Amino acid sequence: MSSGVNMLCFTASFGVALALEVMGLWARPRWRRLAVVVAALAGIVAQTWYLAERANASPWAPLSSQHDWYLSAAWGLAIVYLALVLYQPRASIGLFLLPIVLALIGAARFASTEPMAGAEMPRIWGILHGVFLMLGTIAVLLGFVAGLMYLVQSARLKNKAPLSERFRLPSLEWLERVNARSLIAATILVGLGFVTGVLMRLALRDGSGLQWTDPVVISLSGMFSWLVAAEAFRLAYPAARRGRKVAYLTLAGFVFLVITLSTFMSSKSMHGRGGESAGAGPKTAGTSPAARMQQSRSERAVGFIPTVQQEVTP
Amino acid sequence: MNLRMVGCTHRASGVDLRQQLAFGTEQTSDALARWRERFPTAEFALLSTCNRVELYAAGAGPVEAPETDELVDALLSYHGVPTKRVEGQILSLHQREAVAHLYRVAASLDSMVVGEPQILAQVKQAYQRSVDSGAAGPALHDLFQSALRAARRVYNETSLHKHRVSIPSVAIADFASRVFERFDDKHVLVIGAGEMAEETIRYLQDAGATRIHVVNRSPERALELATAWSGVAVPWERLWDELAAADLVIGATGATEPIVMAERFERVVAPLRQQRPLFILDLAVPRNFEPEVGEQLGVYLYSLDDLAVACERNRDARAAELPAAEQIIVAETDAFMAAAHRRITGPVISGLRRNLEEPKVAELERLFKKLPDLDERSRAEITQFADRLVNKLLHPPLESLRDASQEGPPHGLLDAIRRLFRLEE
């Protein structure tokens, strides 16, 4: 039975949290921080509920569809945001992180709700593939946000701009550390995601082989190569371990991620069928997970979606 | 309570006199003991900082505390300073003014740098020394506890203390903390060994810095400063090596020309640092660092001019908080004085109550003897009736006393009540 929790619930909660963060640029009443925490927590609880319902309703969940995958990434990033609000209470981190959380939810809204892999795919590899890539995405996004904040903070300090208490960022030292760790984590997690994808394909034994020409595989390979090169550069060249250089490396990693996610959503690849089902999002948005699953099943029943044999992961 | 304060502060007396009258820790204990011997019925507390020397004396009644002249004499004679030397420079306050002054001092409203946080700890120390020396009693206990409460209210209810205004405090708290998350693992290099360098080290140590290296043209002075702050004195020749190793540098020498040139920094230091962040505070006038040093990657160079803007902004922010802080001081002073005045009325109220209680008890006894058949319930009712009657009779004079206490010591009213009810002294 549907609980009535839909995407609007957590989108609104995170929207309120972002509005409170923006409000902090002008006024910081005592209740603001508590309100931010409550709004973010409410959003996370609602999103957890929504994802749990999706997982119950789908035999392939979690992370079975693009829709779920984006929402899970947003959920992970929202948890990171809540932890940072508590750890760095005075910093305006939400101004950088929450737009990305909302953007991921927005992407989920327009993403396909159809399963990316069929029942014949080895479930364990599919889950590992999805989880590693999702965590890798969170690491890249966190590195991007830390890199962006580093550049803003560094520019303010270099230009001796007035450092307002209403727009406070973490110290350069902290941002640099988060940046570097995000880059390491992203390289490892995306690498693991890539490898599990390959293993999943090999485990399938259907003779289709590894589909290296798949647009998502190509862009993911590009991102992984960049992350490995960036990490190697960082380890080999001491100046790249510090300050702006590591920030630039993570910003470039973000560009690769955007390309990969765009390909993920738009191309007719084995990772989903963005072309046809992109319209499914708006039609079903604002409805409960059970309703969305029912709709995706009925679409498949009338042959709207290609057969599962065509939707295989690398 | 009879309270007096005499002393000299940065507002009315010069630094020479303040230094002459200053008390060290042992001198304070010794002086308090001497004054207690000279004025056995009085309580004493001595607050001695670089900006003030203030002697507080209190007694339970009008005669128990020394007069102002006696206190001035006690203060000056300890150091052998002639009265003529301090003419026009000694501040003397009595009762309410003395209370309000201590509150303002504790809340850092009377400080040279308004809002600086050290003074509260110094006031606490002054009181503690007085307690340890046996010179404090109930009067000073109430006074100092209420002063600390007033200061805490100012601290919590206004943002006066949140805006730092001294150059080193702004440099460390508002700028260096935006570069570094922590200071305990940072290599701090202090170039110069003057007052500004020392003050900055103090703030850095408060922030957690432990690895402090001092370079100075005079090695003796470097050693002296390094020893005082548990740092390491480094020979002047190793300045450039130290610059390559440091995370935070304070330039505070009296050199008339820049000592760190951009060209040499780029050639010698930058390759070794490999863009590792370096925060430089150039607190010297003229500058110790060429401004172009700040253009190097990873280098954040702040001069006095850069910091002065932030200090000025914070000063304005503090000024905006002053009226609210002063209101708290007035309210707390009113409350303390009213409580002190109420305490004066204590003996009269006790006498008044006794004057009514004694006849009540006697009359009840007489009545119960006359009516031996009364049961317990009836006796209790009659006793309760008598109690209520006494309380109702007492209520108007007590209310009048309480109201009069708000305005000041109600001596006239107390005298009238004593005469009306024939109360004994």
Side-chain angles (χ1 to χ4, degrees):
Chain A
M1 191 179 138
S2 170
S3 66
V5 174
N6 56 42
M7 286 177 71
L8 192 63
C9 300
F10 48 85
T11 308
S13 295
F14 294 134
V16 169
L18 179 59
L20 289 165
E21 291 275 8
V22 173
M23 173 196 161
L25 294 172
W26 286 276
R28 293 200 163 212
R30 285 172 189 231
W31 52 265
R32 193 192 67 93
R33 194 180 155 228
L34 180 67
V36 165
V37 172
V38 169
L41 197 60
I44 289 169
V45 169
Q47 198 173 359
T48 308
W49 194 278
Y50 181 89
L51 286 170
E53 282 196 348
R54 293 269 313 159
N56 275 337
S58 164
W60 295 284
L63 304 174
S64 57
S65 67
Q66 288 184 356
H67 176 79
D68 295 336
W69 190 90
Y70 277 113
L71 282 184
S72 299
W75 178 78
L77 209 57
I79 289 175
V80 171
Y81 165 68
L82 185 62
L84 289 176
V85 165
L86 299 173
Y87 181 69
Q88 296 264 4
R90 288 198 294 169
S92 307
I93 295 174
L95 293 176
F96 295 84
L97 261 182
L98 284 173
I100 296 180
V101 171
L102 290 170
L104 286 171
I105 294 172
R109 164 96 163 68
F110 294 100
S112 164
T113 54
E114 283 304 303
M116 287 183 280
E120 77 288 359
M121 298 297 273
R123 184 177 165 82
I124 184 68
W125 291 121
I127 290 174
L128 287 175
H129 179 61
V131 167
F132 282 135
L133 286 179
M134 184 198 77
L135 293 177
T137 298
I138 291 173
V140 171
L141 291 172
L142 192 60
F144 164 70
V145 166
L148 204 59
M149 286 194 283
Y150 186 98
L151 294 176
V152 172
Q153 180 80 319
S154 176
R156 291 166 83 202
L157 286 165
K158 270 278 184 193
N159 298 327
K160 289 142 190 172
L163 296 175
S164 165
E165 278 297 315
R166 288 174 186 161
F167 181 56
R168 198 182 169 99
L169 294 176
S171 69
L172 292 182
E173 185 182 12
W174 189 85
L175 291 169
E176 185 184 290
R177 197 165 59 233
V178 171
N179 232 327
R181 287 179 185 174
S182 299
L183 190 57
I184 297 170
T187 309
I188 294 169
L189 291 165
V190 171
L192 287 171
F194 194 83
V195 169
T196 47
V198 170
L199 290 174
M200 183 163 65
R201 285 291 308 167
L202 292 175
L204 193 57
R205 297 169 190 274
D206 64 347
S208 57
L210 298 169
Q211 298 190 2
W212 294 107
T213 52
D214 182 283
V216 177
V217 177
I218 292 171
S219 57
L220 187 63
S221 306
M223 182 168 88
F224 179 52
S225 305
W226 164 255
L227 290 171
V228 170
E231 188 54 25
F233 177 60
R234 207 180 66 80
L235 292 174
Y237 180 43
R241 288 175 213 159
R242 299 193 183 103
R244 290 199 294 188
K245 288 215 169 42
V246 71
Y248 289 137
L249 293 178
T250 49
L251 293 193
F254 175 73
V255 173
F256 275 95
L257 179 71
V258 170
I259 294 169
T260 306
L261 293 183
S262 306
T263 317
F264 182 44
M265 273 187 78
S266 61
S267 73
K268 294 179 182 179
S269 80
M270 60 185 169
H271 285 87
R273 45 194 91 65
E276 289 97 332
S277 60
K283 275 186 255 170
T284 55
T287 58
S288 69
R292 288 176 71 91
M293 289 307 295
Q294 186 57 46
Q295 183 178 342
S296 68
R297 279 178 188 146
S298 60
E299 281 170 348
R300 182 144 21 99
V302 295
F304 184 69
I305 308 297
T307 58
V308 288
Q309 279 78 10
Q310 289 168 301
E311 39 181 81
V312 280
T313 318
Chain B
M1 186 190 69
N2 187 14
L3 176 71
R4 287 182 196 280
M5 189 288 287
V6 297
C8 58
T9 75
H10 63 94
R11 293 189 187 281
S13 52
V15 68
D16 291 346
L17 178 63
R18 297 203 303 272
Q19 277 177 359
Q20 232 177 332
L21 291 178
F23 289 79
T25 311
E26 284 180 11
Q27 284 178 313
T28 302
S29 305
D30 179 52
L32 288 170
R34 279 198 211 177
W35 295 331
R36 277 287 276 180
E37 211 176 301
R38 187 170 161 190
F39 307 103
T41 54
E43 302 171 23
F44 293 98
L46 181 67
L47 175 64
S48 179
T49 72
C50 51
N51 285 329
R52 65 188 69 246
V53 177
E54 294 177 353
L55 173 59
Y56 291 84
V63 292
E64 276 104 351
E67 291 297 316
T68 299
D69 292 347
E70 292 173 310
L71 282 175
V72 172
D73 178 59
L75 191 67
L76 299 185
S77 61
Y78 187 86
H79 291 287
V81 176
T83 315
K84 218 174 169 186
R85 163 83 177 80
V86 299
E87 244 169 39
Q89 296 190 64
I90 289 286
L91 176 70
S92 67
L93 300 169
H94 186 220
Q95 297 295 73
R96 185 188 167 85
E97 284 72 29
V99 174
H101 177 76
L102 180 63
Y103 286 7
R104 296 188 79 252
V105 169
S108 189
L109 298 177
D110 195 58
S111 298
M112 193 177 271
V113 178
V114 174
E116 57 100 358
Q118 285 87 11
I119 187 65
L120 184 59
Q122 289 165 332
V123 170
K124 278 184 196 167
Q125 270 175 8
Y127 172 63
Q128 194 54 49
R129 281 198 195 115
S130 171
V131 171
D132 294 344
S133 308
L140 283 187
H141 175 80
D142 288 349
L143 176 67
F144 275 81
Q145 291 306 317
S146 60
L148 298 180
R149 189 175 57 242
R152 276 195 292 271
R153 272 195 66 194
V154 171
Y155 188 89
N156 293 329
E157 294 174 26
T158 71
S159 52
L160 191 76
H161 300 76
K162 288 177 190 155
H163 307 287
R164 294 169 187 85
V165 292
S166 78
I167 295 276
S169 66
V170 167
I172 304 304
D174 289 359
F175 290 95
S177 65
R178 312 277 171 126
V179 177
F180 301 118
E181 190 67 7
R182 49 194 280 198
F183 292 92
D184 58 340
D185 60 346
K186 299 296 176 297
H187 181 148
V188 178
L189 173 65
V190 181
I191 310 173
E195 248 180 59
M196 190 65 107
E198 189 163 6
E199 199 187 339
T200 313
I201 292 175
R202 182 159 60 82
Y203 281 106
L204 276 168
Q205 284 207 336
D206 287 348
T210 51
R211 290 168 58 201
I212 296 168
H213 289 198
V214 182
V215 286
N216 194 44
R217 285 191 201 276
S218 153
E220 296 81 22
R221 183 72 191 109
L223 185 64
E224 195 182 317
L225 185 65
T227 309
W229 294 95
S230 309
V232 177
V234 179
W236 181 256
E237 297 72 41
R238 288 193 50 213
L239 171 66
W240 296 92
D241 300 330
E242 285 287 325
L243 281 171
D247 297 302
L248 201 155
V249 178
I250 299 152
T253 76
T256 51
E257 297 288 328
I259 53 176
V260 179
M261 304 295 184
E263 183 274 326
R264 189 167 177 192
F265 187 93
E266 189 175 359
R267 187 165 45 81
V268 178
V269 179
L272 294 172
R273 297 196 61 83
Q274 299 201 309
Q275 297 175 25
R276 195 157 52 86
L278 175 64
F279 186 77
I280 302 173
L281 287 177
D282 192 348
L283 304 180
V285 181
R287 290 165 172 244
N288 286 164
F289 289 77
E290 277 191 345
E292 292 76 19
V293 171
E295 291 169 13
Q296 292 289 317
L297 279 176
V299 176
Y300 302 91
L301 170 62
Y302 282 79
S303 70
L304 272 181
D305 291 342
D306 302 325
L307 297 169
V309 176
C311 291
E312 196 51 47
R313 205 178 53 241
N314 287 359
R315 240 176 240 124
D316 292 345
R318 274 193 181 184
E321 293 291 323
L322 280 177
E326 293 288 359
Q327 266 183 7
I328 292 171
I329 298 296
V330 169
E332 286 290 325
T333 308
D334 287 346
F336 179 83
M337 293 310 295
H341 296 152
R342 274 198 299 276
R343 276 195 293 275
I344 298 173
T345 63
V348 169
I349 292 171
S350 302
L352 201 55
R353 191 173 283 279
R354 202 168 46 242
N355 259 18
L356 292 175
E357 281 289 330
E358 282 169 2
K360 179 197 84 176
V361 171
E363 284 305 309
L364 282 174
E365 273 178 19
R366 193 184 64 79
L367 182 67
F368 292 152
K369 270 181 194 164
K370 270 191 164 182
L371 303 168
D373 299 333
L374 282 174
D375 59 10
E376 280 304 309
R377 191 164 167 274
S378 305
R379 280 170 179 254
E381 276 296 325
I382 292 167
T383 308
Q384 207 176 8
F385 158 77
D387 287 341
R388 275 207 304 270
L389 189 63
V390 166
N391 285 339
K392 286 196 173 183
L393 287 172
L394 275 174
H395 185 70
L398 294 188
E399 277 291 294
S400 301
L401 276 173
R402 202 191 64 184
D403 293 345
S405 298
Q406 303 287 338
E407 308 297 323
H411 293 304
L413 186 58
L414 287 172
D415 198 41
I417 291 172
R418 276 194 203 100
R419 289 168 64 188
L420 269 172
F421 292 90
R422 295 180 180 279
L423 299 178
E424 290 172 6
E425 278 295 334

